[in-house]
Amino acid sequence: MDDPSATLADLAARQAQQQPDAIAIEAPDRQPLTYAGLHSHLMQIGAGLLGMGIAPGDRVAIVLPNGPEMATAFLAVAGVAASAPLNPDYRAEELEFYLSDLNAKALIVGSTLDSPARDVCKKRGIPVIELYPRTDAAAGLFTLGNDASPASVVFQGTGPDDVALLLHTSGSTSRPKLVPLTQANLIASAKHISQTLRLTPADRCLNVMPLFHIHGLIAAVTSSLRAGGSVICTPGCLVPKFFGWIDTLRPTWYTAVPTMHQMILGRAETNKEIIARAPLRFVRSSSAALPPKIMAELEKAFACPVVEAYGMTEATHQMACNPLPPLGRKPGSVGLAAGPEIAIMDDGGTLLSQGATAEIVIRGANVTPGYENNPAANAAAFTNGWFRTGDQGYLDEEGYLFITGRLKEIINRGGEKVSPREVDEVLLEHPAIAQVVTFAAPDARLGETVAAAVVLKQGMNLTEEQAIEFAGSRLADFKVPTRVVFLDQIPKGPTGKMQRIGLAAKLGITGAPAPIAAAPVTRALTQTEEDLVA
Ligand code: AMP
């Protein structure tokens, strides 16, 4: 489809004109919202915001629970100004940082949310706009408190170079960086994703990703709107409800992070009948490495292709994706460039030839113009017009990208580099192991050593010694974990991704040698026990 839309507002207006009665937004137990309904809601809310004194270029923070109003509030704000969705779980201290770093002009907060954001804004003199969901009306419709009459100034509209979305990097070791993404960045990425997945107006995406993260906002919401399809906005990845949603809302695809896929897989067996009658065309995974074993199990369980994509906030999400059939998808690879150009660059800025392993770099219409107010970060991130992703990888002879690790996460064991992903994949081969995260543990002699946190499968048991022995039979000595800890759940970040950096400290692992557990650790025996643990 040729796409003359330059901004998100154009995109919604165009769909409303072409297919006014088609469904844009849905949610469990709510009436659907058509494109005509969405467009008029965005116009009305946009006018209301302008009436409150919000002008193009202003930043409006949004703190809302996951759901259809978060999707429409993002679109409405981005239609007239710059939207900045924030994690509704942030505490006061975090909100202080994010709201001041953003230089927020106003905050939109869900009326039902008990968030410290209101107090923080009061203290900082930032106006608070309450959002009241219209639960009796179509999904995504809401009213704004202190709604003013539309502004008398003529609104010229937003342009492709205006900032539409502001997000912070997750930065687990350093201060999060502010990533501005323009209307053109968002439109380009939505187009790339809908083309890669061959989305049509008949497609229905089930969104389980948080909508304060780029993955949900772009891969689920914006790409669906670009294709004229529907997006079903759930409250989040509530695994016990997942198969009920699949059955009643009949999505043709869903996208999630690997930890969510693994939780969903855990219930696939007991929901076989629902899966058999589900119209799923494919399943998409992104934002963290999908172990090939999990990909194979997902494909078997859902009887449809599972495509792994490579995404990043600074790239407005998608950079590469495995193609759908008839082209081949390669387990362990994040697929072909799917939007930006992709190359491999050494430390000195030289682009390397196919097969060489070094830093993955990108350039193209979906890449941020640069971090805000951060010349040092920009100088480090951009080399000769290429953006350095901080990820390490190589391109194979067919142009498929393989990620070998995150440069910052590579474990440096006395000079010997260990890719934690490689150790994850080996341990996952053990029949008792359901999930693994390998990480660097401090070591008095070597600086860092290899450790792994493991979640066992239901009813299985394993000792630390047995896990280490298993890894030792498949990996070179320097890559074998010296510690394996057993957990009920892998600690995850707010977007559901496993967090390797800082995990040793979180688990209280110091440089001192630990006693080897003698008794085997046993996992919850039944689904009920598992739910209780969760
Ligand atoms: P975010 O900005 O939160 O989307 O995180 C971006 C980072 O997630 C990337 O730089 C990668 O380190 C990681 N990532 C995203 N997709 C994948 C993938 N399919 N495989 C491995 N790592 C990934």
Side-chain angles (χ1 to χ4, degrees), residues 422 426-427 429-431 468-476 479-480:
E422 187 185 350
V426 162
L427 281 171
E429 293 298 322
H430 193 287
I468 292 174
E469 204 180 292
F470 182 82
S473 65
R474 287 160 173 79
L475 288 167
K479 297 179 187 170
V480 177

Side-chain angles (χ1 to χ4, degrees), residues 170 213-214 285-290 308-314 317 319 334 389 391 403 406 421 497:
S170 42
H213 187 246
I214 195 79
S285 182
S286 189
S287 301
L290 179 69
E308 179 174 7
Y310 172 39
M312 182 174 210
T313 305
E314 292 89 327
H317 192 52
M319 296 173 275
V334 292
T389 60
D391 296 314
I403 301 179
R406 179 110 192 110
R421 286 187 51 173
K497 291 208 256 186

Side-chain angles (χ1 to χ4, degrees), residues 210-266:
L211 291 179
F212 55 80
H213 187 246
I214 195 79
H215 182 153
L217 283 174
I218 307 299
V221 177
T222 320
S223 72
S224 295
L225 300 188
R226 162 64 172 62
S230 318
V231 56
I232 304 158
C233 298
T234 73
C237 192
L238 308 180
V239 183
K241 297 202 164 171
F242 179 84
F243 287 97
W245 292 333
I246 294 272
D247 211 22
T248 53
L249 296 160
R250 310 203 52 75
T252 58
W253 64 290
Y254 80 92
T255 181
V257 294
T259 47
M260 293 177 184
H261 289 305
Q262 278 171 277
M263 292 191 296
I264 289 165
L265 252 185

Side-chain angles (χ1 to χ4, degrees), residues 15 19 22-25 35 199-205 221 223-231:
Q15 295 295 358
Q19 40 162 9
I23 292 164
I25 309 248
Y35 273 100
L199 298 180
T200 73
D203 277 307
R204 297 167 58 72
C205 172
V221 177
S223 72
S224 295
L225 300 188
R226 162 64 172 62
S230 318
V231 56

